[in-house]
Amino acid sequence: MRRNHLIAAAGICFALIVYATLARLAGRPVLIGHHEAYWVVVIERFSAYGLLGFLLSFLLPGRLTFACSLVVAVAMGLEILQAMTPDRDPGFLDVLQKAAGGTVGVLLAQTILAFLPRPPS
């Protein structure tokens, strides 16, 4: 049952990231307002992908490389798709921020998993 909850949480997180990335600028969810500081946007990106990486890492225990690759591929793919949205502009720095957040989330979850007791086989 726990795995089903993780799948649902990762799916919801992914759906919200897709919406925030591909929605028109006026419809994009914001924390403070549409004129928020750049560092707030960086924290939003980093934490959203960090959560996605964290959840994916719990779904894929022991697969560090695959989980990191998946998060980076999602960041790159959504940024490329953002080029097709009229009022959004993709950026390499955005991909780096998102990939770093996802990688940190994966590494944090893998560290937690390393200290959890293993189920008996």
Side-chain angles (χ1 to χ4, degrees):
M1 189 63 133
R2 189 182 100 179
R3 185 164 176 84
N4 291 339
H5 291 122
L6 283 173
I7 291 171
I12 290 169
C13 183
F14 177 70
L16 290 173
I17 288 173
V18 168
Y19 174 74
T21 303
L22 300 179
R24 294 176 99 19
L25 206 52
R28 183 182 174 277
V30 292
L31 288 179
I32 299 172
H34 288 287
H35 300 290
E36 57 194 6
Y38 181 71
W39 62 270
V40 174
V41 176
V42 172
I43 291 173
E44 285 176 355
R45 289 178 188 143
F46 190 88
S47 60
Y49 277 85
L51 178 61
L52 181 65
F54 188 84
L55 293 171
L56 284 177
S57 191
F58 270 100
L59 282 171
L60 305 165
R63 294 182 154 180
L64 176 72
T65 308
F66 183 65
C68 284
S69 300
L70 192 58
V71 172
V72 171
V74 166
M76 290 173 55
L78 287 177
E79 204 66 26
I80 290 169
L81 286 174
Q82 198 177 47
M84 296 178 202
T85 306
D87 62 345
R88 303 297 297 270
D89 56 332
F92 183 69
L93 191 58
D94 298 349
V95 173
L96 290 179
Q97 293 164 358
K98 294 171 181 181
T103 304
V104 167
V106 168
L107 293 175
L108 179 63
Q110 290 293 330
T111 303
I112 291 170
L113 284 170
F115 289 104
L116 289 178
R118 303 264 182 212
S121 50

